[in-house]
Amino acid sequence: MLCEYLCAEAREAGFVSGLIALNCERADEPFAAPCAIFTSGELVVTVGNHKGVGGRNQEYCLAAAAKIAGSKRIVVGAVDTDGTDGPGGLKLPGAPDCLAGAIIDGYTMEEARNNGIDIYHVLDTHAASEPLWKLGCGIQATHNISVLDLGIILITE
C-alpha cells in the first residue's frame, strides 16, 4: 500500500503516482518490479470555471498517463468504488451517463495524440470522460457501496 489516505488534487496525485511508477520501473525503488501498488482515499478536483464531464479518478489516470508515456511495463487504474466518478452527463452513443474511473498505460498518450486528443487540455477543462471512453480506457461499473477511491499501479517485469 503506497497510501491508505490519499486526499489530494487528483491531477497532482496522478502526476506523482506516475513518477513513482517510473521510479519502480527504472530503479526498483521504492518497490522492486514486478509489483502492484495500491492507494485509497478521496481525491478532489478543484473545478474553477471549467465544468467538463469527468471525475477525480479519471483525472488521476490521465495525469499518470502523461508521466508514464512510452512505458511498456506500467498500467494504472483508478475507480470510485460507488460506481460513479464525477457528476455524470456523458452523452455518447453506447456510453454510460457516468464512468466509475479509468485504466491507462504507457501507450495512452500516443493513442490520444493519434486521435487528436490533447490530454493537458482535457485535464485543464476537467472533461476526461469523453476522451477516455473514446480511447477505450473508461471504466463502467454498477452503483454500489462507496469505500473510498481505489488506485492500482501495476509494474510488470
Side-chain angles (χ1 to χ4, degrees), residues 10 14 56-66 76-78 101-104 132:
R56 57 193 181 266
N57 292 288
Q58 296 167 66
E59 287 201 20
Y60 170 87
C61 285
L62 284 178
V76 177
I103 299 174
I104 60 86
L132 284 168

Side-chain angles (χ1 to χ4, degrees), residues 22 25 61-62 64-76 103-117 119 131-132 134-137 154 156-157:
L22 282 177
E25 177 186 53
C61 285
L62 284 178
K67 296 301 179 187
I68 67 165
S71 171
K72 294 179 177 156
R73 299 175 45 205
I74 301 172
V75 177
V76 177
I103 299 174
I104 60 86
D105 59 23
Y107 301 100
T108 302
M109 285 293 284
E110 180 180 354
E111 291 174 18
R113 274 192 296 276
N114 291 343
N115 285 281
I117 299 168
I119 294 295
L132 284 168
K134 286 181 175 179
L135 292 170
C137 299
L154 177 65
T156 63
E157 290 188 274

Side-chain angles (χ1 to χ4, degrees), residues 21-84:
L22 282 177
N23 211 62
C24 292
E25 177 186 53
R26 296 173 181 170
D28 286 334
E29 292 290 337
F31 308 105
C35 64
I37 303 169
F38 298 88
T39 62
S40 68
E42 287 290 336
L43 298 170
V44 296
V45 173
T46 302
V47 176
N49 294 329
H50 298 286
K51 297 184 177 18
V53 176
R56 57 193 181 266
N57 292 288
Q58 296 167 66
E59 287 201 20
Y60 170 87
C61 285
L62 284 178
K67 296 301 179 187
I68 67 165
S71 171
K72 294 179 177 156
R73 299 175 45 205
I74 301 172
V75 177
V76 177
V79 296
D80 191 342
T81 56
D82 68 4
T84 61

